[in-house]
Amino acid sequence: MAAFIAGTSLVPFAKPGLSEMYDRMGSDALFLALNDAGLSLKHLDQAYVGYVYGDSTSGQRAVYRVGMTGIPIINVNNNCASGSTALFLARQAVESGVADCVLALGFEQMKPGALEQVFSDRPSPLEKFEMIADEAFFDKRDLPVTLKLFGGAGKAHMDLYGTKLCSGIVNLAT
């Protein structure tokens, strides 16, 4: 069975601390996407909800704001790939025949500043990657983890493929 996107939406977001709360952003986006698709809540069989910084059932809170009950809501936390992973899983559910109509939803509510490890009482899942980035690419080990990992990936790409640094700023809006 082929899957397709029936409706989409995007709600306003701003710097950390200035946006709506995550559950409001999520429920507003859900409602707008259903309207865009010409569907109602009764059409949905499942929901895949992607976010990083939230409690384990933040997806349920956002979806239940619109009154939905009775369908599986799967929370997806896959760092920067959370939204695309939710979309992948939704597509997979439809194409496998497990569901006919599935919601893929994403939101984030962050604190100001650089991303940090949330749990200090256990090893970071990125510990090995950070160590490799520290050893291979950076003299300073106190850089924010996202800068090290994405910068390290960019540096590895440059080394492997000969990619050159951009000498100017590219305006993608034009």
Side-chain angles (χ1 to χ4, degrees):
M1 178 182 299
F4 62 93
I5 296 173
T8 64
S9 71
L10 180 67
V11 297
F13 58 93
K15 290 184 176 186
L18 300 177
S19 289
E20 294 281 350
M21 292 289 125
Y22 75 89
D23 57 329
R24 177 68 184 262
M25 287 189 288
S27 63
D28 287 354
L30 188 165
F31 181 72
L32 291 168
L34 285 175
N35 280 342
D36 185 51
L39 299 172
S40 68
L41 298 173
K42 68 181 180 184
H43 293 103
L44 298 179
D45 299 320
Q46 297 178 358
Y48 294 88
V49 184
Y51 59 92
V52 177
Y53 290 102
D55 284 329
S56 61
T57 55
S58 293
Q60 279 80 352
R61 175 154 178 148
V63 173
Y64 288 163
R65 276 185 59 99
V66 297
M68 185 179 306
T69 60
I71 67 167
I73 299 171
I74 296 91
N75 293 278
V76 179
N77 183 319
N78 198 17
N79 280 353
C80 296
S82 296
S84 62
T85 302
L87 184 60
F88 172 84
L89 293 170
R91 178 191 61 106
Q92 190 175 54
V94 171
E95 287 183 347
S96 70
V98 170
D100 291 322
C101 185
V102 178
L103 171 70
L105 178 66
F107 53 77
E108 194 62 74
Q109 182 176 340
M110 299 173 67
K111 297 186 303 185
L115 301 179
E116 299 174 348
Q117 183 175 335
V118 176
F119 301 105
S120 60
D121 64 337
R122 61 202 76 180
S124 167
L126 298 173
E127 184 175 44
K128 184 172 183 175
F129 297 103
E130 288 182 64
M131 191 170 57
I132 292 168
D134 282 341
E135 292 172 2
F137 304 114
F138 300 102
D139 296 331
K140 296 176 80 175
R141 297 178 190 275
D142 61 344
L143 293 172
V145 66
T146 51
L147 182 59
K148 286 193 283 189
L149 297 180
F150 288 113
K155 176 76 167 84
H157 190 278
M158 291 170 71
D159 293 346
L160 186 62
Y161 297 105
T163 308
K164 304 293 183 210
L165 276 176
C166 179
S167 60
I169 301 203
V170 178
N171 185 351
L172 298 177
T174 58

